[in-house]
Amino acid sequence: MVRDRRTDCLLCLESTAQTGLCQNCERLLARTGFVCPGCAIPLAARGWCGNCLRGPPAFDGVVAAFDYRFPLDRLVQRFKFSADLAVGATLGDALARAVAHGPRPDLVVASPISAARLRERGFNPALLLARRVASRHGIALDGDCLAKMRHTPPQTGLDAAARLANVRGAFAVTRRVAELHVAIVDDVMTTGATLEEMARALKDRGAARVSGWVAARTPEPGRRS
Ligand SMILES: [Zn+2]
Ligand SMILES: [Zn+2]
């Protein structure tokens, strides 16, 4: 029976024929306006944001499935801090749809977390998303491509410059990436400091192009450096 295939929407608990989010919630959460092609920050008009114009980032473009704001932020937190894997799958699928029309990378990698953070959380949310997106598009995945060399204090509460200093030199590239287009998957992008540092590490090793693929992007403008 058709009714058996209905599930509850992860956000509003309305019964839905879709898995994850119902159509209403999906429409409500969709990013509809202009976004900067460099860093995916929402903008009032078409074009690049002030940050990207002032200093081009090390990454070559960002795609974000959602804005990181209520109620989507609660969903992301449920995934990250309560290991709600159904939410992770829904976010991963949304990200896979969001990147479907962009240039196809040679390799998908995940934003790494430190060993200490991994022990505390039990899993790396970014890797789970990366696995989902890579398999949806049949792109090679290397979950260990980027390694976190040291535990960095949480970025929360730091301004953009402090965030950049906090993650400087924190990442190592563990495989050959020369000439490759690499897409880095992460759960949330705030100022982009972490993405900037990972992209820089990949470019230092000869990556031709680095894309940022994030489930959610904070809509407030934040200075990158
Ligand atoms: Zn809903
Ligand atoms: Zn920008």
Side-chain angles (χ1 to χ4, degrees), residues 85-162:
L85 301 186
V87 171
T90 298
L91 293 172
D93 287 346
L95 182 55
R97 284 195 296 275
V99 302
H101 303 295
R104 185 186 168 87
D106 304 296
L107 184 69
V108 171
V109 306
S111 175
I113 54 176
S114 66
R117 186 70 47 80
L118 188 60
R119 270 197 302 279
E120 169 192 309
R121 289 230 177 112
F123 78 118
N124 177 1
L127 177 57
L128 213 127
L129 295 173
R131 203 173 279 148
R132 192 92 182 173
V133 177
S135 87
R136 282 274 183 262
H137 290 293
I139 304 170
L141 166 79
D142 188 341
D144 300 317
C145 174
L146 288 167
K148 190 111 185 243
M149 299 312 286
R150 57 186 167 81
H151 181 66
T152 48
Q155 300 276 67
T156 321
L158 301 177
D159 68 14

Side-chain angles (χ1 to χ4, degrees), residues 9 12 22 25:
C9 169
C12 70
C22 73
C25 286

Side-chain angles (χ1 to χ4, degrees), residues 174-212:
T174 65
R175 56 164 286 155
R176 193 183 162 277
V177 292
E179 321 274 310
L180 297 185
H181 174 190
V182 182
I184 305 171
V185 173
D186 208 349
D187 40 67
V188 180
M189 175 180 179
T190 306
T191 62
T194 306
L195 185 59
E196 173 74 14
E197 193 57 28
M198 291 187 287
R200 198 183 322 212
L202 289 165
K203 289 280 176 81
D204 281 351
R205 296 286 297 270
R209 184 183 170 89
V210 176
S211 304

Side-chain angles (χ1 to χ4, degrees), residues 9-14 21-22 24-25:
C9 169
L10 290 168
L11 267 181
C12 70
L13 306 181
E14 226 17 79
L21 297 167
C22 73
N24 271 342
C25 286

Side-chain angles (χ1 to χ4, degrees), residues 36-41 43 48-53 57 217 224:
C36 173
C39 69
I41 198 97
L43 295 174
W48 296 72
C49 77
N51 273 349
C52 288
L53 284 175
R217 169 75 160 111
R224 198 175 52 251

